[in-house]
């Protein structure tokens, strides 16, 4: 059952407090701008909100007026790239909502995506405790690396140090995405499989087996069937320990992710989650209704 | 049903190819060392594997002999902190498997955790496409920030720019962890709740309702019950579109994460996943057997 998240998360409405303007980005989507976005500052005809100025004064710029700026995917958490920012780059990032850096080699501002169109659309900007390092938290329009890779970090030092040759580049992935990548690899290998297939491969080619691992099949209820969603619930009902809950949740995640791979749905299901809890429940419900009517 | 991942992921056995030594870390856990770890280099009695030397030569060190080094949690993907590394810091990181940096203010190497004991235990190291930026992918023993925060990035520029006062610091979280944080916040608020509770709060206090959202209750099979694990499977069985699959998976994740919050299990369920697919199936099965016998 699709549910309305209206009551679920009272988050978005308090996040921006009505002092926003809106514009459309290059793909026609409505983008929120912070209040200071359209203001002008004296030296180049743009006046900066005093709050932005004060915030920039708070950054510990290095002797070249720069701070490290790390662009991160708001949904997957992947580190997309790292560059440097000066005051103007931060201002530009905040006002345009596109990750912008200062090129040390060209001594100029550059907005990621200005040539490739793969902009990084900013959702928030964070400073570290020493205020000398910046995270640009954003949603990339496409691959960030100039090589076409999703991120710039695809060279594993550990792989390079192994004696054996490196078969393929490997992104710097956290656990969930490593699992996703491995399951996808198994799917690719299916064509060339000889001998007894692995468990993951058996799941990938047998929808009935896969579904029976995720949820209890009603027609099976007369026999003793254990499946993951059920076992996860039992850890709560039977007051089992936390390790057991984590273990059963890992099983649910694994099997659900095999299903996502079969359906060619990347873990960007997280974008769906974010969109649900960053809009009001009413908007969310509306969007579901219109999507449903489109499908009918 | 807990399953053996033996057949599931043929990954770990090929990752290290028998040229390893082992040691125990300060908590008595067995740690894998890369082959060069115990070698000595001429200038300080340690000989570096030529591969490490060549790799370090490949890094584009800046005019001060430094590169940006970003420490990232291997499980959650969170950016823990950012510092700088020189050749020695990278060598030390690779050999000790503890994230090590070069302090620009003190002109000395420092290993994160040497005073707090909150080491960042390295799982891999990545270089970016330009070979001038490094990711230390590791598992932290505890909070990374000197303030006690999980990461050093807890100051949101967007929050700071809002007119209203900031209620609390907010970590730079990706979507899954933002959701986790919000659900946890709802749990905290339960005590002070007046009026009709939100949907999340209703789930948090009603195990039966929550479980009925995750898996089909056998006793309910006579009525038309829709629950999330079932609907996720139906998108596969009924060949529904990918958006529908993503939507149902989001529902499964949301409800399962409410259950995790009730059980005080953080999303570090991802550590369980990683441990399963980074060991051989035989080891994994053994560890389950021994855990089970401990519980009996």
């Amino acid at each position: 059952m699709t549910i309305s998240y209206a009551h679920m998360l009272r988050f978005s409405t308090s996040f921006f407090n009505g002092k926003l303007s809106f514009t459309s980005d290059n793909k026609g989507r409505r983008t929120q701008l912070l209040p200071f976005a359209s203001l002008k500052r004296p030296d180049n005809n743009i006046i900066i909100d005093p709050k932005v100025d004060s915030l920039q004064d708070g950054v510990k710029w290095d002797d070249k007026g720069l701070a490290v700026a790390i662009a991160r995917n708001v949904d997957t958490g992947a580190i997309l790239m790292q560059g440097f920012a000066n005051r103007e780059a931060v201002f530009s990032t905040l006002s345009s909502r596109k990750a912008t850096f200062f090129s040390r080699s060209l001594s100029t501002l550059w907005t990621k995506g200005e040539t490739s169109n793969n902009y990084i659309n900013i959702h928030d900007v964070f400073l570290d405790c020493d205020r000398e390092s910046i995270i640009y938290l954003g949603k990339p329009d496409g691959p960030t690396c100039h090589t076409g890779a999703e991120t710039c970090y695809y060279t594993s030092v550990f792989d390079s140090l192994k004696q054996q040759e490196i078969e393929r580049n490997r992104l710097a992935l956290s656990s969930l995405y490593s699992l996703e990548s491995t399951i996808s690899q198994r799917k690719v290998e299916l064509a060339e499989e000889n001998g007894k297939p692995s468990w993951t491969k058996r799941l990938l080619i047998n929808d009935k087996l896969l579904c029976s691992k995720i949820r209890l099949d009603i027609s099976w209820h007369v026999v003793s069937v254990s499946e993951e969603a059920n076992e996860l619930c039992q850890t709560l009902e039977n007051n089992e320990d936390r390790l057991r809950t984590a273990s059963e949740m890992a099983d649910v995640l694994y099997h659900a992710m095999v299903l996502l791979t079969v359906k060619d749905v990347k873990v960007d299901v997280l974008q769906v989650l974010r969109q649900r809890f960053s809009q009001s429940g009413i908007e969310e419900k509306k969007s579901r209704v219109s999507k449903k009517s489109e499908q009918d």
Side-chain angles (χ1 to χ4, degrees), chain A:
Chain A
M1 181 175 67
T2 52
I3 59 152
S4 162
Y5 288 0
H7 313 286
M8 179 178 131
L9 300 162
R10 294 179 196 151
F11 180 80
S12 58
T13 46
S14 66
F15 186 74
F16 294 106
N17 60 347
K19 295 190 175 292
L20 294 171
S21 58
F22 292 93
T23 185
S24 291
D25 67 10
N26 63 334
K27 295 193 174 172
R29 293 168 305 201
R30 202 172 71 152
T31 305
Q32 285 173 318
L33 292 181
L34 284 172
F36 55 84
S38 59
L39 301 180
K40 304 285 180 180
R41 178 192 170 105
D43 55 357
N44 59 0
N45 256 354
I46 299 175
I47 301 160
I48 294 185
D49 182 324
K51 278 204 158 200
V52 177
D53 241 3
S54 135
L55 191 139
Q56 288 176 318
D57 287 342
V59 176
K60 282 192 203 154
W61 306 103
D62 71 9
D63 50 8
K64 292 169 184 162
L66 301 175
V68 168
I70 305 161
R72 187 169 183 233
N73 185 316
V74 63
D75 287 322
T76 68
I79 299 178
L80 299 168
M81 59 164 288
Q82 176 258 309
F84 292 85
N86 60 2
R87 290 179 74 98
E88 286 68 32
V90 169
F91 174 76
S92 174
T93 299
L94 292 173
S95 56
S96 69
R97 299 284 283 257
K98 309 281 182 200
T100 303
F101 302 87
F102 179 80
S103 163
R104 294 180 301 171
S105 53
L106 302 175
S107 289
T108 181
L109 287 195
W110 67 279
T111 299
K112 169 66 204 164
E114 61 191 13
T115 52
S116 66
N117 254 356
N118 290 333
Y119 292 95
I120 300 172
N121 304 286
I122 295 297
H123 286 250
D124 207 341
V125 172
F126 283 83
L127 295 178
D128 80 340
C129 54
D130 291 330
R131 295 184 170 258
E132 57 188 13
S133 181
I134 302 167
I135 292 179
Y136 289 159
L137 196 61
K139 184 76 184 170
D141 282 328
T144 292
C145 188
H146 69 285
T147 61
E150 190 185 323
T151 82
C152 293
Y153 297 89
Y154 52 78
T155 306
S156 158
V157 170
F158 279 26
D159 282 358
S160 305
L161 290 173
K162 279 191 299 180
Q163 300 297 312
Q164 65 200 59
E165 282 190 24
I166 300 166
E167 283 175 31
R168 59 188 177 110
N169 288 325
R170 194 162 57 79
L171 289 170
L173 300 174
S174 56
S175 298
L176 192 62
Y177 297 90
S178 289
L179 177 60
E180 181 192 63
S181 166
T182 309
I183 295 171
S184 295
Q185 183 61 22
R186 297 295 165 270
K187 192 177 175 186
V188 170
E189 290 164 4
L190 272 176
E192 43 196 79
E193 183 70 14
N194 295 313
K196 195 180 170 190
S198 68
W199 176 244
T200 299
K201 288 174 184 165
R202 284 174 58 203
L203 291 171
L204 283 167
I205 56 176
N206 188 337
D207 293 356
K208 195 172 167 62
L209 176 66
L210 175 57
C211 290
S212 76
K213 295 301 300 174
I214 295 174
R215 62 94 157 82
L216 206 55
D217 189 329
I218 300 176
S219 62
W220 289 18
H221 77 272
V222 287
V223 293
S224 170
V225 178
S226 281
E227 44 66 54
E228 309 312 344
N230 188 41
E231 295 199 336
L232 176 64
C233 291
Q234 286 176 340
T235 69
L236 178 64
E237 294 162 333
N238 302 340
N239 201 22
E240 294 183 68
D241 67 21
R242 292 161 57 192
L243 274 178
R244 190 84 196 151
T245 304
S247 172
E248 296 303 340
M249 179 62 183
D251 283 341
V252 169
L253 267 181
Y254 163 66
H255 287 95
M257 285 175 68
V258 175
L259 191 147
L260 293 187
T261 307
V262 172
K263 292 285 288 179
D264 277 330
V265 175
K266 301 287 282 182
V267 188
D268 51 20
V269 64
L270 298 174
Q271 182 177 337
V272 176
L273 265 183
R274 172 172 52 78
Q275 285 169 342
R276 281 195 196 161
F277 72 80
S278 65
Q279 60 188 333
S280 76
I282 296 161
E283 285 174 324
E284 198 272 319
K285 204 162 187 175
K286 265 188 194 164
S287 77
R288 291 194 187 211
V289 170
S290 61
K291 271 178 204 157
K292 199 159 185 294
S293 62
E294 281 166 20
Q295 288 164 13
D296 291 342

